């Protein structure tokens, strides 16, 4: 069978794209090397009776239009918004209540970030339906253009030092950036971007998206790894698989990042030299590691409400800056940015009775240490960094540990196919964000290869809104078909 569209990757973006194309009546197949759909939207048991989402605790907000079009509520993905975030030091704390009334500086800044984030997602999804090139002079200003020249430290300097540190930590959770560098304020777009919490963890969202695609008539090929994108007579012909077979398709949507898509699926001499050069120049910025803790009982904090949301451990602009500098050198900093989440406090099904699950997300962790590969000793260093950070704000935490699992950067790359374990899809910087990609085409997700569309997190939409990149790719493909363009 020849499909109208083949989608590489069954993560949230691939499933969203597949559902929209299936709803439009196209013959669609999703190719996934793993045994199940979901990508990072996964919940699994990491110790008998203890479950967690291994790669992230949450995902960015799904645009409301897409949420209802994908019918996710009917398929069981109902989000509960996070109420607050806490920054804890051994001797003090600072709280951000996301629903507090008033017009304080922190509330205004978070509201502004949310509005800009939604504008970016709406523009990116809408651009999928447009094909004509626009001159740069004719484009409307990008919603976060001023933050592309502003330092994060300046943007968060609203009231107290603790508040500034908390806002900066919220913006840089799981990432690395110099908060004093011009353009680092773009990370504010990630502050309080969470879609909320799901009963059963992120696996519930993966299951709901899979069910939505099934309902739209999408076919799936699990356990098959895409090895190349094939062309005949100058046109796409399908996806080559690692076992030597081929899935024929008129159009292809890749949910893998920019470098994986172009540098893995094509021979270097099969692409225009300009494309190869610009893709090579695109900067990845993997910074995340995770430690999953199975505890014998729920940890105690000086502020009991801290369990209601993320807990940023002893943040400061100086710590964030120093960790970034070490990350650039390939060194695991002595004081890493650490975010704790007591995930079982919101979902008792994730832990045995009286037990608890706490995840620790470590930022500024280099993908390539300066002194070689990720050894057992280096993984143990991450475990100690996470344990000591938790112990500093919850005395007795270490005594409660029943088991733990370290998820180092290579584990993330291997599991999700993310280059350099970069879950944000590339360095969040003014030149990459404002350029909207590595070539002069304002209507991404189209590419210079006719019939090939992108739906990865390296797109601006994908960095700050879940399912938006997939929707943009699907709508671009449908618009091109409707206008009779080669796809």
């Amino acid at each position: 069978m020849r499909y109208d569209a083949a989608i590489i990757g069954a993560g949230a973006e691939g499933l969203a794209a597949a559902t929209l194309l299936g709803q439009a009546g196209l013959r669609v197949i999703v190719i996934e090397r793993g045994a199940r759909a979901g990508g990072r939207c996964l919940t699994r048991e990491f110790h008998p009776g203890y479950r967690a989402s291994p790669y992230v605790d949450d995902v960015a907000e799904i645009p409301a239009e897409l949420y209802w079009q994908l019918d996710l509520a009917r398929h069981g993905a109902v989000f509960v918004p996070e109420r607050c975030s806490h920054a804890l030091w051994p001797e003090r704390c600072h709280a951000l209540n996301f629903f507090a009334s008033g017009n304080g500086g922190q509330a205004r800044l978070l509201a502004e970030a949310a509005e800009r984030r939604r504008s970016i997602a709406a523009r990116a999804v809408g651009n999928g339906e447009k094909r004509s090139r626009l001159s740069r002079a004719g484009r409307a200003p990008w919603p976060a253009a001023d933050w592309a020249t502003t330092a994060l430290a300046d943007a968060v300097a609203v009231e107290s030092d603790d508040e500034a540190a908390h806002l900066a930590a919220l913006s840089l959770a799981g990432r690395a950036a110099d908060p004093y560098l011009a353009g680092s304020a773009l990370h504010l777009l990630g502050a309080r971007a969470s879609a909320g919490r799901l009963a059963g963890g992120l696996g519930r969202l993966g299951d709901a998206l899979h069910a939505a695609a099934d309902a739209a008539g999408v076919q799936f090929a699990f356990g098959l790894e895409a090895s190349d994108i094939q062309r005949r007579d100058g046109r796409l012909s399908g996806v080559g698989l690692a076992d030597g077979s081929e899935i024929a398709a008129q159009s292809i949507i890749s949910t893998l990042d920019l470098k994986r898509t172009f540098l893995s699926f094509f021979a270097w001499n099969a692409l225009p030299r300009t494309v190869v050069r610009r893709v090579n120049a695109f900067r990845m910025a993997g910074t995340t590691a995770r430690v999953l803790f199975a505890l014998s009982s729920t940890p105690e904090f000086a502020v009991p409400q801290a369990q209601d949301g993320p807990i940023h451990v002893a943040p400061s602009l100086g710590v964030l800056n120093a960790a970034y500098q070490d990350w650039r050198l390939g060194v695991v900093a002595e004081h890493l940015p650490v975010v704790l989440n007591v995930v079982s406090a919101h979902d008792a099904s994730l832990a045995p009775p009286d037990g608890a699950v706490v995840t620790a997300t470590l930022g500024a962790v280099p993908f390539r240490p300066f002194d070689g590969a990720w050894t057992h000793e280096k993984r143990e260093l991450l475990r100690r960094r996470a344990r000591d950070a938790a112990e500093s704000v919850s005395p007795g935490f270490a005594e409660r540990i029943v088991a733990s699992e370290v998820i180092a950067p290579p584990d993330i790359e291997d599991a999700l196919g993310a280059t350099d374990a970069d879950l944000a899809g590339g360095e969040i910087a003014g030149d990459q964000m404002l350029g909207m990609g590595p070539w002069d085409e304002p209507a991404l997700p189209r590419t210079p290869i006719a019939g090939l569309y992108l739906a990865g997190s390296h797109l601006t939409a994908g960095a700050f809104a879940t399912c938006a990149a997939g929707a943009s790719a699907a709508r671009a493909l449908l618009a091109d078909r409707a206008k009779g363009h080669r796809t």
Side-chain angles (χ1 to χ4, degrees), residues 68-316:
W68 295 113
Q69 187 172 2
L70 297 171
D71 205 11
L72 294 180
R74 183 170 70 89
H75 293 298
V78 179
F79 293 91
V80 177
E82 288 185 332
R83 295 185 294 172
C84 62
S85 169
H86 282 82
L88 298 184
W89 295 264
E91 73 287 350
R92 66 189 192 281
C93 72
H94 182 271
L96 284 174
N97 187 329
F98 298 143
F99 298 101
S101 59
N103 295 312
Q106 61 188 33
R108 286 197 302 271
L109 191 59
L110 290 174
E112 182 180 356
E115 181 58 33
R116 293 186 184 208
R117 191 165 55 242
R118 293 186 185 110
S119 296
I120 290 169
R123 175 182 294 201
V125 172
N127 274 350
E129 300 173 356
K130 302 175 184 177
R131 186 174 182 88
S132 61
R133 287 181 178 270
L134 301 174
S135 68
R136 290 188 181 275
R139 300 181 204 171
W142 194 59
D146 57 327
W147 282 351
T149 57
T150 303
L152 180 60
D154 293 334
V156 300
V158 287
E159 294 180 16
S160 69
D161 289 344
D162 282 357
E163 182 178 63
H166 193 173
L167 286 169
L170 192 66
S171 303
L172 293 175
R175 296 175 176 143
D178 183 351
Y180 299 107
L181 185 66
S184 57
L186 282 172
H187 288 81
L188 277 167
L189 292 169
R192 202 205 158 197
S194 171
R197 297 182 181 274
L198 283 164
L202 284 180
R204 181 64 60 84
L205 176 58
D207 292 343
L209 286 165
H210 188 184
D214 271 337
V218 173
Q219 296 186 40
F220 288 85
F222 291 111
L224 297 177
E225 183 171 3
S227 61
D228 62 286
I229 292 175
Q230 300 187 347
R231 293 191 288 178
R232 293 188 178 90
D233 300 323
R235 300 194 58 153
L236 293 185
S237 61
V239 179
L241 304 177
D243 64 5
S245 62
E246 177 185 353
I247 293 178
Q250 182 177 354
S251 301
I252 297 169
I253 295 177
S254 173
T255 67
L256 300 183
D257 63 67
L258 197 69
K259 288 185 180 288
R260 285 282 172 123
T261 297
F262 284 98
L263 304 183
S264 296
F265 292 152
F266 295 93
W268 69 270
N269 57 358
L271 294 171
R273 294 182 65 182
T274 301
V275 171
V276 175
R277 185 173 66 251
R278 293 186 176 183
V279 169
N280 268 314
F282 192 81
R283 302 186 303 278
M284 308 304 291
T287 64
T288 303
R290 298 260 289 173
V291 182
L292 313 179
F293 289 106
L295 305 182
S296 59
S297 60
T298 301
E300 298 177 354
F301 299 93
V303 182
Q305 301 93 315
Q307 297 183 21
D308 292 340
I311 301 168
H312 301 270
V313 178
S316 79

Side-chain angles (χ1 to χ4, degrees), residues 49-74:
Y50 295 86
R51 301 167 63 240
S53 300
Y55 310 112
V56 290
D57 290 318
D58 54 20
V59 294
E61 184 179 16
I62 301 172
E65 172 199 357
L66 285 176
Y67 180 83
W68 295 113
Q69 187 172 2
L70 297 171
D71 205 11
L72 294 180
R74 183 170 70 89

